[in-house]
Amino acid sequence: MKVLLKHQAMNNRIKQYIWLKAFRLLAFSLLIAALFAACKQKPQPVTKTQSKAYYTCSMHPQIHEDHPGNCPICGMKLIKVELAGGNSGADMNKITLTAAQIQLAGIRTDTVREENVGLEKTLTGTVTTNENTASELSARIAGRIQQLFVKAVGEKIAVGQPVYSIYSEDLLEAEKEYLLAKQQQKVLHNPDVDYPQLISAAENKLQLWGLSPAQIRNLAASEKVAATTFVLSKISGTVSDITVHEGDYVTEGMSVLKTQALNNLWVEAQLYASETANYKVNDRLNVSFPDLGGQVIAGKIEFINPELSDASKVDLIRLSVPNSQGLIRPGMMAYISIANGKQRSLAVPAAAVLTSGKGNMVWIKNSDGSFSPRMIKTGSGNPSYMPVLSGLNKGDIVVTGGAYLLNSEAIFKNGNDNSMSGMKM
């Protein structure tokens, strides 16, 4: 009996072993089949998404970030540049910027036209204030200045801004006359007296002595005279001189302060008498400023002195330059480009030309406001203008400032600069 039981237990262990081997073989077969099926499947293409915008620095266009922030080189705020849609044909290198991006990137343009491409000489000049825009605020009535609200040169003032308060006995009497005329009109009603004429005469006197219509209305409403009166500015600009102090006694016509409008300045230089015949008033010359990184601005000749200096026998030439951003300051040094010869040709500003191993290239502004690169051929010119042999027409608008930023963005957009080689001359 024991032998029989032992034999049955051995048979059961053999059956279990056989079933375990079969199960493992089946699992291995299924795994091999699954791997084989997976290998036969075609890999799905990975969709690569390209950002439609990036952030760069106007001073260092090689910086490209996918988020806003500051430039790691100079610390300036990065500007956002949006990539134009479409990468085929002529649109491959077209760049579209918003008005804010153009301003932040410092994009400047100029028109292709005939210019003097002959030799040039450089005059050293000095920036001065434009005396045609100077204004002076004078005292309209005698009195003592109680408080001065504009105390430093360089401050900006506007029309209607309080400049100083004054104690003036004459002004107090005039205010009393005005209030008396108003009171008599209300109380007396004398038909033989022209009260409106009396009131008008008293009001005109107050206006001539510096009171504004609003101050006169407040005086009539309060029916009280004040010991001091605020004098409001009749001019606007940047204060260039203050001639009084608190406590000073001013007389009628005495200068209180002077202002300058700094949105337009003069650049004065000296020119030899033999060279003045080549220029006339309203001619345009290029002016650069070393303190502004060599920035070039077109200036217009406003004055050529008809008399020579007794000592040096040179002539004074004066140019007006715009200063809308307020970067140019009186006292700065300036360089004026004067052409010696009159060799005129269709020309492009030298600052617009980008030179590489493939040739010369400029960025042009299209009619829709976008920018596109164009290969050109140029001749030998001067530091200001280069003659155009092919690639541009008269009236084309080229980028003179910020071209490197546009070029950098086009390279970033297309991955490399190989697309530039397909541009037509």
Side-chain angles (χ1 to χ4, degrees):
M1 186 65 180
K2 292 181 180 180
V3 174
L4 181 61
L5 294 174
K6 186 176 181 180
H7 181 72
Q8 290 179 352
M10 184 178 295
N11 289 336
N12 291 334
R13 285 197 295 269
I14 292 174
K15 290 180 180 180
Q16 291 176 356
Y17 177 79
I18 293 173
W19 277 106
L20 181 62
K21 282 287 187 180
F23 179 78
R24 289 180 177 177
L25 181 62
L26 178 60
F28 181 78
S29 301
L30 293 175
L31 178 62
I32 294 297
L35 292 175
F36 182 77
C39 292
K40 294 182 64 177
Q41 291 180 356
K42 293 183 180 180
Q44 296 296 327
V46 179
T47 303
K48 184 178 181 182
T49 61
Q50 184 178 8
S51 176
K52 296 183 179 181
Y54 69 94
Y55 296 84
T56 187
C57 176
S58 59
M59 298 298 295
H60 302 91
Q62 69 270 24
I63 301 298
H64 294 103
E65 300 287 350
D66 57 358
H67 55 80
N70 297 329
C71 176
I73 299 177
C74 64
M76 292 180 59
K77 186 178 180 181
L78 298 179
I79 61 173
K80 184 178 180 181
V81 179
E82 296 182 357
L83 302 178
N87 289 325
S88 62
D91 293 334
M92 180 176 293
N93 297 315
K94 183 179 288 188
I95 304 298
T96 301
L97 302 176
T98 65
Q101 292 168 350
I102 291 175
Q103 183 177 5
L104 289 174
I107 303 294
R108 299 187 301 274
T109 59
D110 200 353
T111 304
V112 178
R113 56 183 179 272
E114 288 190 357
E115 289 287 349
N116 181 26
V117 295
L119 298 177
E120 285 188 347
K121 67 176 295 186
T122 301
L123 298 179
T124 301
T126 304
V127 180
T128 64
T129 56
N130 187 340
E131 295 300 328
N132 292 333
T133 62
S135 300
E136 183 175 4
L137 180 67
S138 302
R140 295 195 177 188
I141 192 171
R144 184 178 66 251
I145 295 180
Q146 297 292 94
Q147 188 175 3
L148 192 62
F149 302 108
V150 180
K151 300 181 180 181
V153 172
E155 292 187 30
K156 293 183 178 180
I157 63 173
V159 175
Q161 175 181 336
V163 178
Y164 61 94
S165 62
I166 188 173
Y167 170 78
S168 172
E169 294 182 358
D170 294 336
L171 186 56
L172 287 175
E173 291 299 326
E175 291 178 349
K176 291 177 181 179
E177 290 179 6
Y178 172 73
L179 292 179
L180 181 60
K182 298 278 290 184
Q183 186 68 20
Q184 288 178 347
Q185 184 183 31
K186 291 181 180 179
V187 177
L188 299 181
H189 303 291
N190 189 344
D192 297 330
V193 180
D194 191 351
Y195 293 108
Q197 184 178 359
L198 290 177
I199 296 173
S200 177
E203 185 175 342
N204 289 336
K205 182 187 290 186
L206 293 176
Q207 289 182 351
L208 290 175
W209 282 356
L211 267 65
S212 66
Q215 288 176 303
I216 297 175
R217 289 194 298 269
N218 292 335
L219 175 63
S222 65
E223 297 182 349
K224 293 181 181 180
V225 296
T228 59
T229 303
F230 289 98
V231 177
L232 308 181
S233 175
K234 306 296 182 182
I235 60 177
S236 61
T238 303
V239 177
S240 59
D241 189 21
I242 301 176
T243 59
V244 297
H245 304 85
E246 291 183 355
D248 287 353
Y249 187 87
V250 295
T251 58
E252 184 178 355
M254 182 176 175
S255 176
V256 176
L257 58 80
K258 297 179 181 179
T259 63
Q260 294 282 351
L262 300 182
N263 58 346
N264 188 279
L265 298 172
W266 282 344
V267 175
E268 294 183 343
Q270 292 180 334
L271 188 66
Y272 286 112
S274 59
E275 297 173 323
T276 57
N278 296 326
Y279 305 97
K280 60 183 182 298
V281 175
N282 293 327
D283 281 353
R284 305 189 73 85
L285 301 176
N286 287 328
V287 184
S288 61
F289 303 90
D291 292 334
L292 300 179
Q295 180 179 348
V296 179
I297 296 178
K300 184 175 67 173
I301 298 178
E302 277 201 356
F303 176 75
I304 300 177
N305 196 345
E307 297 182 359
L308 300 180
S309 172
D310 293 335
S312 58
K313 299 300 180 183
V314 294
D315 203 355
L316 174 70
I317 184 173
R318 181 184 296 145
L319 288 78
S320 65
V321 291
N323 187 33
S324 57
Q325 296 182 347
L327 300 178
I328 309 173
R329 299 180 180 180
M332 279 186 175
M333 181 183 295
Y335 295 138
I336 305 173
S337 298
I338 300 290
N340 289 335
K342 286 294 183 181
Q343 182 182 348
R344 300 187 66 83
S345 172
L346 185 66
V348 63
V353 181
L354 304 180
T355 303
S356 65
K358 299 176 183 178
N360 293 330
M361 182 189 74
V362 296
W363 281 86
I364 64 170
K365 185 176 182 181
N366 302 312
S367 58
D368 60 356
S370 61
F371 301 92
S372 299
R374 182 179 296 179
M375 300 297 295
I376 64 171
K377 287 185 178 180
T378 61
S380 178
N382 53 51
S384 299
Y385 290 96
M386 301 176 66
V388 177
L389 303 181
S390 64
L392 289 174
N393 299 316
K394 186 176 182 180
D396 287 343
I397 300 177
V398 295
V399 177
T400 59
Y404 283 100
L405 177 64
L406 294 174
N407 198 54
S408 176
E409 197 241 334
I411 295 175
F412 176 78
K413 171 185 173 182
N414 297 293
N416 53 50
D417 60 350
N418 292 333
S419 59
M420 302 289 182
S421 59
M423 291 184 296
K424 296 183 179 180
M425 299 292 292

